Amino acid sequence: MSGNRAVAYKGPGKVEVIDTPYPTFDLKDAPGINPANIGRKVDHGVILKTVATNICGSDQHMVRGRTTAPTDLVLGHEITGEVIEVGSGVEFIKKGDICSVPFNISCGRCRNCKERKTGICLNVNPDRPGSAYGYVDMGGWVGGQAEYVLVPYADWNLLKFPDRDQALEKILDLTMLSDIFPTGFHGAYTAGVTVGNTVYIAGAGPVGLAAAVSAQLLGAAVVIVGDLNEERLAQARSFGCETVDVSKGHPKDQIEQILGVPEVDCGVDAVGFEARGHGSDSSHEAPATVLNSLMDITAAGGALGIPGLYVTGDPGGIDEAAKVGSLSISLGTGWAKSLSFTTGQCPVMRYNRGLMMSILHDKVQIAKAVNAKAIPLEDAPRGYEEFDKGAATKYVLNPNGYIAA
């Protein structure tokens, strides 16, 4: 093998499919690669032929120019693939295995990994805990929106599907295991969702919809999803959610119309730092809006799951504080109500096997819930453009033709 095709960030608002080197078992210099990682040996890794790789809202933050991502960074952290080469240090993963790749890279050796905190591995990013494929400031591991990709620590990181034919039949569901399904589940789970709860989920993008499905899976009595986008709200209603159009005002009033009380047991932020205001302010960015409204509408003693992305470097922030991730949060409200908060990357490996079993045994249809649509790798720029405009679609790239038409 000598070539590879991949999706690269080419500056604010632009991505292109480019020719890029075929992966090898060491890290070479490339856009976004941490200098301390250059030359790092990856004999514990495998090379995957990509089966499916998805466009994520987190990628969109970079493509919009809202991070410090460098030009020509190869994108993509939601990866499912077939093993075609195995490093000399890999013992249990074999050539031909079809596997899901957790978006957060972890070593399996450090204290945090051993405590199942795989989103903040201490050994894969020289700058700070935590790493991911194709993402700014995450250690520089090359992204997986490509025909081929290198996955390190393969015996630890890869979730092997038990049956190849079954995996390919359910691939549009299984590809969600790399990120959005575990991330949405993490949001609902850390918000304390259990049987009989009422839940409010801010954001009807793919992660918000995955959180809604997860809340249903966890036994919630009522799941309410809020957004500005009617097409996405309709998608939430398609699998039994109540919805709130936050362009019409604070969600509290609409929640009271649904539940009879202006509060819920559990709250989930699936929006993140590009949040907009509510009501008449919905045309303006107001990055603390979702967090503050969730504290307002979540019952005392409740919890907030916050899988929505917040960053420490945002060139497009509305003010100098927002540009470094400093937001005007009403912490006093949270303190007075004894609310709990869980933030940060989802530790995918904590959930992915259980969610895989739910998919394989037909307990959940996550692809239908998020309206998954497979497109060729060469159509990635169109997928990014339509997703950025608010399409109620989860775009799945199909670079090697594994996904049937």
Side-chain angles (χ1 to χ4, degrees):
M1 295 287 183
S2 58
N4 193 9
R5 297 279 285 165
V7 180
Y9 170 63
K10 302 296 281 188
K14 188 175 183 181
V15 299
E16 289 182 5
V17 180
I18 64 168
D19 293 311
T20 191
Y22 182 83
T24 58
F25 291 105
D26 60 347
L27 290 184
K28 295 180 170 60
D29 193 10
I33 298 292
N34 189 301
N37 265 348
I38 296 172
R40 186 169 181 164
K41 300 299 182 185
V42 194
D43 294 333
H44 44 69
V46 300
I47 294 171
L48 296 183
K49 186 175 183 180
T50 306
V51 172
T53 177
N54 316 327
I55 297 174
C56 180
S58 298
D59 298 320
Q60 286 286 21
H61 293 306
M62 289 188 290
V63 173
R64 292 187 189 118
R66 297 299 298 268
T67 71
T68 55
T71 301
D72 292 324
L73 178 74
V74 172
L75 300 168
H77 56 271
E78 300 190 11
I79 308 163
T80 306
E82 179 178 4
V83 177
I84 59 170
E85 292 189 48
V86 178
S88 60
V90 177
E91 186 174 0
F92 302 111
I93 293 293
K94 305 298 183 186
K95 187 175 178 179
D97 288 346
I98 295 183
C99 306
S100 177
V101 184
F103 80 88
N104 29 37
I105 304 166
S106 56
C107 70
R109 295 153 165 80
C110 70
R111 172 181 174 176
N112 284 349
C113 285
K114 290 177 180 179
E115 293 177 356
R116 301 183 75 195
K117 302 173 184 175
T118 53
I120 45 174
C121 174
L122 301 174
N123 288 331
V124 287
N125 184 348
D127 286 338
R128 63 186 186 191
S131 191
Y133 303 88
Y135 212 85
V136 59
D137 297 331
M138 286 292 186
W141 299 85
V142 177
Q145 287 176 12
E147 293 172 325
Y148 305 95
V149 63
L150 171 69
V151 173
Y153 302 104
D155 281 327
W156 166 255
N157 279 306
L158 291 178
L159 174 67
K160 177 185 172 181
F161 299 139
D163 181 86
R164 179 188 180 90
D165 291 339
Q166 185 187 32
L168 291 176
E169 180 184 344
K170 293 180 176 289
I171 194 62
L172 283 179
D173 291 290
L174 294 171
T175 188
M176 305 305 163
L177 292 172
S178 58
D179 182 357
I180 67 160
F181 196 11
T183 294
F185 190 91
H186 182 62
Y189 182 81
T190 57
V193 178
T194 188
V195 175
N197 281 158
T198 57
V199 186
Y200 178 71
I201 296 166
V207 169
L209 296 174
V213 169
S214 299
Q216 293 173 338
L217 198 59
L218 288 163
V222 183
V223 179
I224 305 170
V225 180
D227 204 289
L228 297 160
N229 182 321
E230 174 52 35
E231 186 181 356
R232 290 182 171 184
L233 291 175
Q235 186 62 32
R237 290 192 294 271
S238 74
F239 58 93
C241 298
E242 301 284 348
T243 58
V244 163
D245 182 347
V246 298
S247 71
K248 297 179 179 178
H250 194 289
K252 177 185 288 188
D253 298 331
Q254 295 173 70
I255 287 171
E256 186 170 18
Q257 292 174 14
I258 296 168
L259 298 176
V261 294
E263 65 179 19
V264 291
D265 299 316
C266 313
V268 179
D269 174 3
V271 177
F273 73 102
E274 288 192 65
R276 294 187 179 187
H278 295 149
S280 60
D281 293 328
S282 61
S283 62
H284 305 293
E285 192 166 301
T289 298
V290 169
L291 292 171
N292 286 330
S293 67
L294 283 172
M295 285 189 279
D296 193 22
I297 64 180
T298 302
L304 306 184
I306 309 175
L309 175 67
Y310 290 87
V311 296
T312 56
D314 174 13
I318 60 171
D319 53 35
E320 292 306 311
K323 289 178 180 179
V324 293
S326 181
L327 309 181
S328 297
I329 297 171
S330 181
L331 188 59
T333 300
W335 190 94
K337 295 176 75 172
S338 295
L339 299 176
S340 302
F341 302 75
T342 301
T343 66
Q345 286 187 39
C346 163
V348 170
M349 293 174 69
R350 190 177 299 177
Y351 309 110
N352 62 351
R353 186 184 182 279
L355 295 176
M356 175 188 75
M357 296 300 288
S358 294
I359 291 169
L360 294 179
H361 292 278
D362 299 318
K363 300 301 182 185
V364 65
Q365 293 180 303
I366 184 64
K368 183 177 180 181
V370 301
N371 194 24
K373 179 181 179 181
I375 61 175
L377 185 72
E378 299 296 330
D379 284 354
R382 176 177 63 84
Y384 270 94
E385 181 181 3
E386 292 179 1
F387 189 40
D388 190 50
K389 290 178 179 177
T393 304
K394 177 66 173 178
Y395 288 100
V396 177
L397 302 180
N398 182 25
N400 290 300
Y402 283 87
I403 305 173

